[in-house]
Amino acid sequence: MSFNCRKSIQNDSDLLRAIVGCSSDAILIADDKHNILEVNQMFESLFAVEGPQLTGKKLSDYEKEWFNAGVTTSLFNKRKPNVFSFTYKNKATMAVTAIPLELEESQVKYFLLMIRENGQLYRNMKRETVNNPYLDLISQNHEMKGLIKTLEKVALFDTTILLYGESGTGKGLLARYIHQKSKRNNEPFVVINCAALPEHLLESELFGYTDGAFTGANKKGKIGLIEAANHGTLFLDEIGELPLNIQAKLLHVIQDREFTPIGETKSKKVDIRIITATNKNLKMMVKKNEFREDLYYRLNVMDVKVPPLRERKSDIVPLANYFLKKFNSKYEINRRIDQEVYRFFKEYQWPGNVRELENLIEKLVVVSDDLITIDHIPANLQQIEIIIPEDSSGISFDESLEKLERKIITETYHRYKNSRKVAECLKISQSRAARLIRKYKPLVE
């Protein structure tokens, strides 16, 4: 079960779906009658369940399987925030924050459970303890090693950092790594995805508000994430999605290290380090008046480009092995990867980067038996991408076609190692595939 973070929010149900779908934690939402309303994809993966089959079921029916006995009774009776941990059947330690949601004055309408494996959830739902990210442990790429070494130096200073690059390259992990290596590593690491919430919620989440600041506001007010990050690090992901009016308020925070909660007249001082990330071209957005120029230069004190996975091929196999070990442990199995699959991994372009690799490994672990073979790779990923050779200028059309044919045949043969599979991939007869393989035999051996 997955949800669109950018979907228009028109009612309580849409709001819940947006929050659920955008979280990197496993999330379950129940109503005040103990009925399960929603779970996200992370929850389905963590507990190996199908979301649609849970909808409408009683949470208490599953507490012995998922949580500690008595958790749901305590949560619903006390109707107060509750933090607890438990050991799941695969011996993984789970940390859970359970929060009652008052969507009407003095009336609890929903209950939110946020679950994370092998770590602590945010304190007050926002603070995170950072463990060593895998990127530091297994990167073999020269450029990536140099980038990490640079970040280790920069981490010691409170300079603002902008991480940019394609989606899924690991910008969030690098932000956590910077915090971990900084002098603020024992303080809060607060994350907000600027693309995940509508503008009115984003402003209140960042700056907080006083009691009675607006209709529907909590009568006790709310501390914003900027204040929650005091003495620590505030990580603003997808900064290019920040609305212009909030950009102006964020600029004030960066320049003066102070902010004003919604409904408040006096500003508050704050001591934070700011890290941002984007997959957009902020400089181009500035030219189009979609992003404030003064904010851009404030954020761009130290800019770091995170290279896509296709440009750091030496990381692919180590990352694949890391994820294989992770999911083998999670599901208590022992899958292995065939060498032909490793060759495919190194040839594939990975448009979704590290995130795509992780998701694919989990899928292969689930659908395979003992050995993950090339036949388990989804057919749509095995299509050969035809690229016109860059060095074709100055030669005839026929010569260019032959170079392209040679490239396609040799790459396909190296991947599949037999004429039948080459023929299936290229949608030609096996006899023609065999003839072309013989034609370029010195190159395919």
Side-chain angles (χ1 to χ4, degrees):
M1 184 184 298
S2 59
F3 308 101
N4 183 357
C5 300
R6 307 294 294 173
K7 184 178 179 181
S8 175
I9 294 177
Q10 300 176 359
N11 51 46
D12 291 350
S13 178
D14 285 345
L15 173 59
L16 291 173
R17 284 175 175 269
I19 296 172
V20 165
C22 297
S23 174
S24 60
D25 295 325
I27 280 188
L28 179 147
I29 295 179
D31 63 16
D32 57 350
K33 304 296 184 184
H34 301 208
N35 298 310
I36 298 174
L37 301 181
E38 304 285 358
V39 299
N40 66 355
Q41 221 166 18
M42 287 297 294
F43 189 97
E44 291 178 322
S45 175
L46 198 59
F47 293 101
V49 294
E50 294 289 338
Q53 296 178 5
L54 298 176
T55 304
K57 300 289 181 62
K58 294 292 185 182
L59 177 59
S60 54
D61 293 341
Y62 295 91
E63 71 170 356
K64 290 183 180 179
E65 179 182 354
W66 294 343
F67 314 123
N68 297 332
V71 165
T72 56
T73 302
S74 174
L75 170 65
F76 284 94
N77 288 346
K78 293 182 178 179
R79 300 192 168 222
K80 293 181 179 180
N82 185 18
V83 178
F84 63 92
S85 62
F86 68 97
T87 302
Y88 192 46
K89 60 185 179 181
N90 63 358
K91 303 188 185 302
T93 300
M94 304 288 183
V96 182
T97 293
I99 304 291
L101 303 176
E102 296 182 10
L103 297 188
E104 296 179 8
E105 186 174 357
S106 301
Q107 180 181 348
V108 174
K109 201 169 182 181
Y110 300 107
F111 292 86
L112 171 69
L113 273 67
M114 303 174 63
I115 307 153
R116 177 169 297 180
E117 181 182 359
N118 294 330
Q120 295 180 339
L121 289 174
Y122 300 141
R123 182 181 179 184
N124 297 330
M125 291 181 20
K126 303 301 176 185
R127 176 172 177 165
E128 181 179 354
T129 298
V130 184
N131 296 315
N132 289 327
Y134 65 80
L135 193 60
D136 175 48
L137 301 177
I138 63 176
S139 180
Q140 303 296 319
N141 178 262
H142 177 74
E143 181 182 359
M144 206 65 190
K145 285 183 177 180
L147 184 153
I148 293 170
K149 186 171 289 187
T150 298
L151 292 181
E152 289 176 353
K153 295 178 181 177
V154 176
L156 299 175
F157 303 90
D158 279 343
T159 182
T160 303
I161 298 176
L162 170 64
L163 303 169
Y164 67 97
E166 297 176 12
S167 295
T169 51
K171 298 185 291 293
L173 285 171
L174 286 174
R176 288 171 168 83
Y177 185 71
I178 293 167
H179 175 77
Q180 180 188 355
K181 293 294 182 179
S182 75
K183 298 176 182 178
R184 299 173 181 264
N185 58 3
N186 290 320
E187 299 297 337
F189 177 74
V190 177
V191 184
I192 189 165
N193 187 323
C194 300
L197 294 173
E199 182 175 331
H200 67 285
L201 287 179
L202 184 59
E203 184 174 11
S204 62
E205 282 290 306
L206 270 174
F207 301 98
Y209 55 83
T210 60
D211 57 311
F214 51 86
T215 303
N218 190 309
K219 60 183 180 181
K220 297 179 181 179
K222 181 179 180 180
I223 294 176
L225 297 183
I226 291 175
E227 187 172 358
N230 196 26
H231 303 302
T233 301
L234 177 66
F235 175 48
L236 299 173
D237 199 6
E238 303 291 356
I239 189 68
E241 301 290 341
L242 203 65
L244 286 168
N245 67 310
I246 301 182
Q247 289 180 28
K249 297 186 71 172
L250 179 61
L251 178 64
H252 178 61
V253 175
I254 296 173
Q255 289 180 156
D256 303 318
R257 289 299 191 267
E258 64 180 26
F259 70 99
T260 305
I262 300 173
E264 183 62 82
T265 57
K266 296 181 180 179
S267 62
K268 293 184 176 183
K269 288 288 185 180
V270 68
D271 171 25
I272 57 173
R273 193 227 187 106
I274 295 178
I275 302 174
T276 60
T278 185
N279 59 5
K280 293 191 172 184
N281 187 331
L282 295 186
K283 199 168 187 179
M284 185 62 67
M285 291 181 68
V286 169
K287 292 181 179 180
K288 295 180 179 180
N289 295 318
E290 297 172 349
F291 200 86
R292 291 181 63 105
E293 184 176 22
D294 46 6
L295 177 60
Y296 170 71
Y297 286 112
R298 283 288 184 176
L299 297 177
N300 200 32
V301 175
M302 177 72 186
D303 63 322
V304 177
K305 180 184 179 181
V306 184
L309 187 55
R310 64 181 174 274
E311 292 180 8
R312 40 188 173 110
K313 296 278 190 177
S314 57
D315 275 352
I316 293 175
V317 171
L319 283 169
N321 288 335
Y322 170 84
F323 292 130
L324 178 67
K325 183 178 179 181
K326 171 185 174 180
F327 293 119
N328 272 339
S329 174
K330 177 178 179 178
Y331 296 118
E332 294 185 298
I333 53 181
N334 187 30
R335 302 288 191 258
R336 296 175 293 111
I337 297 178
D338 186 75
Q339 289 301 314
E340 195 174 4
V341 176
Y342 282 126
R343 284 193 291 271
F344 167 78
F345 285 167
K346 288 186 283 189
E347 293 171 2
Y348 184 62
Q349 292 299 300
W350 300 108
N353 294 293
V354 179
R355 186 181 298 126
E356 181 184 12
L357 174 59
E358 180 177 11
N359 292 340
L360 178 59
I361 292 293
E362 181 172 18
K363 180 177 182 178
L364 295 175
V365 164
V366 171
V367 303
S368 65
D369 296 317
D370 292 332
L371 183 66
I372 298 171
T373 70
I374 195 68
D375 293 329
H376 293 114
I377 302 292
N380 64 304
L381 299 185
Q382 297 193 47
Q383 298 296 320
I384 294 293
E385 183 180 2
I386 299 177
I387 302 174
I388 298 176
E390 294 180 359
D391 58 345
S392 60
S393 59
I395 62 175
S396 69
F397 177 70
D398 289 339
E399 288 174 320
S400 294
L401 282 180
E402 184 175 3
K403 289 189 69 173
L404 185 57
E405 181 182 72
R406 182 189 302 117
K407 177 180 177 64
I408 294 171
I409 294 299
T410 54
E411 288 189 2
T412 310
Y413 183 79
H414 279 307
R415 179 179 299 179
Y416 296 108
K417 296 300 182 184
N418 68 67
S419 60
R420 180 181 62 81
K421 288 189 176 181
V422 169
E424 290 177 357
C425 177
L426 300 181
K427 295 179 174 57
I428 59 177
S429 67
Q430 187 172 356
S431 60
R432 184 182 179 189
R435 177 175 57 79
L436 290 170
I437 291 170
R438 287 195 300 273
K439 179 180 178 181
Y440 300 113
K441 187 176 181 180
L443 295 174
V444 299
E445 288 182 336

